[in-house]
């Protein structure tokens, strides 16, 4: 039974609509279900986060990227190592991203304090000695599949290299196209909205215009996987999944809170293409994040370079469009802590239980957050209904088309 | 430290309904693994493993540690055991108001 305040009693008790329903003292019994929007966490997830292609940062200049409620400075030192520090100098708060790389260090534009990749101040050119406490926030780094990853942990633990995403064999060789890499700022949504997609079967029909014919999830340890087989809707032409001539087999795994590898096998009229899609993000604030995605396509044998690049461009474009379809939903929806599910929905509650581990102190992680969980959605009824709807849409369209003479 | 905090006490009951309600214990017919499972329909299956069950399953143990792509497949013996439990009526097939 859900409680809420009706308008009449609200007026009697002097309760205005703006503070309804949390602060309303007069309740009225009803079966109306309320949305529990919950409270979003103040902390940022523990785990590896990808900052993009390592090559972006390898020119010896300081680079700036928003992340974890601050600005980060990234630079390459003389040994070729990439270093990541909090972007603001611990002296007087100068913006290190606008500084200069001097030797192996990043120098602040304000007073030339020199910071090393280990987070220690190495030199203050005008000072007799460097204060012992001159240590700033550093982020441990790893390069995986040509991408720069950094470890974030509000508890300050050492980076756990055993849970890095796997290296992808053959990617970054001439068997695959180079990463096509893109960035998109998302405002007004916590990044959990993006994670929710892992368990969301039906949105593939409504948002991405595909029939998901098979849909399974496995959550275990630090990984969460979605398996999906789909074909495009013939009544729609826009977006990543909607081509009626192609069948998609997709296996997508989150390695930690923010880095997903999506192995896609696309069967376009019998022509098979292997595509790898990286979908990752960096939280920037309580309800903002930066989405990054990269695509590499296995070069089909017997095709010339130009055709291969054309195919890769088309995939990049269509999966990019797919993200934009999601973004429009996220930017206009509200957060919901108590989603109401039907039988055809995926395991949203279990997925969120898994995701919670990254926002919990390590000592407080509960077994059910990491225990293996498997779920298969029954897509039979949904597809029966959807196929009828699409047939109807096509019939309407045919009837509207002018008869040619 | 809690992170995503629900505002309503009813939300906690919803979490219980969707994650643990109607889950039935199933003993693997081939090993010592014991899981809980639910069938909302013939094609739907929900399987909750525990650390003990996971360690007792030779099929899953044979695969690479967590994170390898081959752990993404279900254990065929456990799948068969759940199918058997459905046939014998131990696991009822059918959902209750979406959970």
């Amino acid at each position: 039974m859900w409680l809420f305040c009706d308008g009449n009693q609200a007026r009697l008790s002097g309760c205005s609509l703006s503070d309804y329903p949390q602060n309303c003292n007069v309740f009225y019994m009803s079966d109306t279900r309320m949305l529990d929007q919950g409270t979003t966490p103040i902390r940022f997830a523990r785990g590896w986060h990808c900052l993009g292609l390592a090559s972006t940062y390898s020119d010896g200049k300081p680079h700036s990227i928003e992340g974890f409620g601050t600005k980060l400075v990234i630079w390459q030192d003389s040994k070729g190592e990439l270093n990541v520090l909090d972007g603001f100098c611990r002296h007087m708060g100068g913006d290190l991203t606008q500084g200069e790389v001097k030797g192996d260090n990043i120098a602040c534009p304000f007073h030339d304090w020199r910071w090393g990749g280990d987070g220690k101040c190495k030199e203050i050119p005008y000072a007799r000695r460097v204060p012992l406490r001159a240590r700033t926030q550093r982020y441990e780094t790893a390069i995986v599949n040509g991408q720069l990853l950094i470890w974030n942990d509000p508890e300050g633990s050492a980076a756990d290299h055993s849970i890095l995403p796997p290296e992808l064999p053959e990617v970054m060789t001439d068997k695959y196209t180079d990463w096509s890499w893109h960035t998109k700022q998302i405002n007004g949504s916590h990044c959990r909205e993006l994670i929710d997609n892992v368990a969301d079967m039906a949105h593939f029909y409504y948002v991405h215009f595909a029939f998901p014919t098979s849909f399974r999830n496995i959550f275990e340890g630090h990984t969460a996987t979605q398996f999906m087989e789909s074909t495009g809707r013939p009544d729609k032409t826009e977006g990543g999944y909607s081509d009626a001539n192609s069948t998609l087999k997709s296996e997508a795994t989150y390695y930690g809170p923010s880095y997903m590898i999506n192995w896609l096998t696309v069967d376009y009229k019998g022509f098979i293409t292997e595509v790898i899609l990286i979908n990752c993000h960096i939280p920037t604030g309580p309800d903002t994040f930066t989405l990054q995605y990269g695509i590499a396509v296995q070069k089909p044998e017997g095709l010339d370079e130009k055709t291969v690049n054309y195919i890769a461009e088309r995939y990049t474009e269509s999966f990019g469009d797919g993200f934009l379809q999601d973004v429009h939903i996220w930017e206009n929806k509200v957060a919901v802590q108590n989603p109401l599910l039907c039988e055809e929905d995926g395991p949203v509650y279990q997925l969120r239980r898994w995701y919670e581990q990254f926002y919990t102190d390590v000592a407080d992680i509960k077994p059910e957050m990491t225990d293996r969980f498997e779920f298969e959605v029954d897509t039979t009824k949904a597809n029966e209904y959807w196929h009828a709807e699409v047939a109807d849409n096509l019939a309407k369209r045919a009837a509207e088309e002018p008869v040619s003479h | 430290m809690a992170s995503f905090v629900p505002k309503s006490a009813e939300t906690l009951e919803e979490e219980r309904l969707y994650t643990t309600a109607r889950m039935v214990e199933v003993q693997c017919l081939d090993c010592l693994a014991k899981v809980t499972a639910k069938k909302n329909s013939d094609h739907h299956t929900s399987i909750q493993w525990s650390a003990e069950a996971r360690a007792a399953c030779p099929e899953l143990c044979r695969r690479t540690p967590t994170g390898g792509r081959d752990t993404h497949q279900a254990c065929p013996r456990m799948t068969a055991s759940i199918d058997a439990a459905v046939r014998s009526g131990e696991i009822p097939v059918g959902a209750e108001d979406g959970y």
Side-chain angles (χ1 to χ4, degrees), chain A residues 2 33 36 38-39 43 218 220 227 251 253 263 341 343 349-350 353 356 371-372 374-376 378, chain B residues 1 3 5-8 10-11 14 18 41 44-49 54 67 69 71-74 95:
Chain A
W2 295 87
R33 191 181 169 89
D36 180 354
T39 4
R43 73 196 280 168
I218 293 184
E220 182 170 25
F227 305 87
E251 179 183 331
T253 298
W263 289 270
L341 306 180
E343 281 170 58
Y349 283 85
Q350 289 87 345
R353 183 180 66 183
E356 187 82 21
D371 280 344
R372 183 179 175 93
E374 303 175 26
F375 194 96
E376 174 151 13
D378 183 349
Chain B
M1 191 178 181
S3 60
V5 186
K7 283 195 172 143
S8 143
E10 283 88 344
T11 298
E14 295 284 292
Y18 287 113
S41 69
H44 164 268
T45 317
S46 185
I47 310 172
Q48 179 66 61
W49 292 75
R54 178 69 164 80
R69 277 182 83 181
T71 60
H72 300 168
Q73 298 303 322

Side-chain angles (χ1 to χ4, degrees), chain B residues 11-25:
Chain B
T11 298
L12 298 174
E13 172 59 9
E14 295 284 292
E15 285 173 5
R16 190 194 68 78
L17 283 183
Y18 287 113
T19 57
T20 59
R22 301 184 46 245
M23 295 290 275
V24 177
E25 198 168 84

Side-chain angles (χ1 to χ4, degrees), chain A residues 124-141:
Chain A
I124 305 168
Y126 64 89
R128 196 169 287 129
R129 56 179 72 92
V130 175
L132 292 170
R133 288 170 293 145
R135 276 169 183 268
T136 187
Q137 173 71 49
R138 80 173 275 239
Y139 294 87
E140 288 187 73
T141 61

Side-chain angles (χ1 to χ4, degrees), chain A residues 194 208 277 279 291 293 319-327 330:
Chain A
L194 169 66
H208 302 303
L277 169 67
N279 160 20
L291 177 71
Y293 59 96
F319 286 107
D321 288 350
F323 279 118
L324 296 182
Q325 293 164 335
D326 282 319
V327 169
W330 297 332

Side-chain angles (χ1 to χ4, degrees), chain A residues 175-177 273-276 295-300 311-312 315:
Chain A
K175 294 199 170 156
Y176 275 80
T177 59
T273 313
E274 300 289 342
V275 179
I276 289 177
I295 285 163
V297 180
Q298 193 184 47
K299 296 178 183 172
I311 293 172
Y315 281 121

